Amino acid sequence: MADFSLDKIADLPTDLLIGGHAVAASDGGRFDVVDPATGEVITTVADGTVEDGIRAVDAAAAAAPWAATAPRERAEVLRRAFELMTARADELAHLIALENGKALPDARGETAYAAEFFRWYAEEAVRASGELATAPSGANRIMVVRQPVGIAVLVTPWNFPAAMATRKIGPALAAGCTVVLKPASDTPLTALLMAKILDDAGVPAGVVNVVPARRSGAVVSAMLHDPRVRKLSFTGSTEVGRILLKEAADQVVNCSMELGGNAPFVVFEDADLDAALEGAMTAKMRNGGEACTAANRFFVHADVADEFSRRLAERMSAMRVGPGIADDTQVGPLVNEDAVTKVTELVQGTIDAGGRIVVGGTRPDRPGYYYDPTVLTDVPPSAPILREEIFGPVAPIVTFTDEAEAIRLANDTEYGLVSYVYTRDLARGLRVSEAMESGMVGLNRGLVSDPAAPFGGTKQSGLGREGGHEGMLDYLESKYIALTW
């Protein structure tokens, strides 16, 4: 095992968690977890098999009495989990920075954000209210009760290994569901440590099971074809989401999908440029651009495009690139070699299409999976980089001349997760926000995520919502009882 330089993290779990026990994979397999800052192996983790996935479902089924636990008791468990995460925030942040590569400020922000889902759903657990009404005919009463949907399989990505887990585990446990978490292979350590925190908070054995696996497709498919599994919550690419939706259809499993994004960042000529630049740095460079909410396409009015581009390039070029766990790092490495290759190809494709590099556009000559913060201008609307999720520190800028063109360009994508709009004209801002084909809009704001708000997209960016009250409803079924008294 490599030197963590993290003395505060003790007894780091690296085995599967099934039924409250740390267990080896059924075939003894393990896989490497790599530090993206160096390319070196941090440690190895148990590599779950199809049999392990079904064992985890068995454990979740045996823990079904969790559904009958008093809502207040479930709430108190989640509240304790929030407090323990908060107490161990620095340890978690360092672990996230180590295995994911993100800079420590981002990792600390994620840890705080992740913990808030436990606090929010501790408060929501006691609010799964039903309904009682008189039928329009007057013949009977209509009673609606909400019950846990059942065993939930949760599949999370590597870019926010803590927050994407708590955003699913929190509402599932609040609703009374038991879960099997399949974390991303690049970042399993955070998920396993958080499972230990949940155990310390009093979550009963089998309520939360964690199965890291390199054989993700086979393991998740096996669980989705087990008739006891009634819920799938997935965060990841639209490509994989389509596959999982087809798999889930075989057993008609209830699905929540938070898929890819291609967020437009629209700057009108009357925008406060200082605020727009600040928002751009947040929307683009949070997690080094490796976020589904990252600003992917910058549409800037021709009257202010030169100034905006110049100032954005100045801000981007001044960012310090280095290992995520270094205190002075502002931009860490990308998660793996494939990520660097993709970003490199997208930038080169933009240059080939007529785009121009203002700053960046290169891979630093150093070990690890780095890419320099990059600003591209003169980007033609047909450039491939405007069609794909970049997932890196690259900002392509396209100019527009009027509101209608800005809306058309912004909506010219199969995705619809989030949009960003900057203007001083409130009427225009609201008008354009309503016209954006996305599930969320940041109006004069570069950050939209909030545990109290419904997070999700339209078009091929997903189904359902996470966060807010709606997030818990995704783990509840409404049962209608017709009654007379």
Side-chain angles (χ1 to χ4, degrees), residues 378-442:
D378 301 329
V379 178
S382 60
I385 200 169
L386 302 178
R387 300 291 171 193
E388 295 191 41
E389 204 169 14
I390 301 170
F391 251 59
V394 180
I397 298 175
V398 179
T399 61
F400 69 88
T401 57
D402 59 48
E403 182 179 311
E405 183 185 14
I407 293 170
R408 178 181 61 78
L409 290 169
N411 289 337
D412 186 20
T413 174
E414 66 185 9
Y415 301 103
L417 185 61
V418 62
S419 304
Y420 303 94
V421 179
Y422 275 79
T423 176
R424 282 190 173 98
D425 184 336
L426 180 59
R428 169 192 268 171
L430 294 173
R431 183 171 64 245
V432 172
S433 294
E434 289 191 350
M436 290 294 175
E437 295 173 352
S438 60
M440 301 175 288
V441 178

Side-chain angles (χ1 to χ4, degrees), residues 12 78 95 145 164 205 218 220 281 301-302 337 339 356 364-365 369 378 387 410 458:
L12 191 67
L78 287 169
L95 182 57
V145 296
M164 297 304 96
V220 174
M281 293 300 295
H301 193 278
E337 185 66 32
R356 181 173 63 89
D365 183 15
Y369 311 127
D378 301 329
R387 300 291 171 193
T458 61

Side-chain angles (χ1 to χ4, degrees), residues 193-261:
L193 182 56
M194 287 182 51
K196 175 66 167 61
I197 289 173
L198 285 163
D199 179 66
D200 292 343
V203 173
V207 171
V208 175
N209 306 277
V210 184
V211 182
R214 281 286 187 194
R215 298 159 275 199
S216 303
V219 172
V220 174
S221 177
M223 292 191 288
L224 291 180
H225 285 90
D226 188 311
R228 295 171 296 177
V229 171
R230 300 312 311 148
K231 176 74 182 181
L232 167 65
S233 181
F234 170 74
T235 298
S237 72
T238 296
E239 179 184 9
V240 174
R242 293 189 191 107
I243 295 170
L244 290 177
L245 282 169
K246 291 175 183 176
E247 294 271 352
D250 290 340
Q251 295 287 336
V252 195
V253 172
N254 180 320
C255 291
S256 296
M257 293 275 163
E258 196 265 281
L259 306 177

Side-chain angles (χ1 to χ4, degrees), residues 451-463:
F455 186 105
T458 61
K459 299 195 284 189
Q460 295 197 39
S461 283
L463 304 167

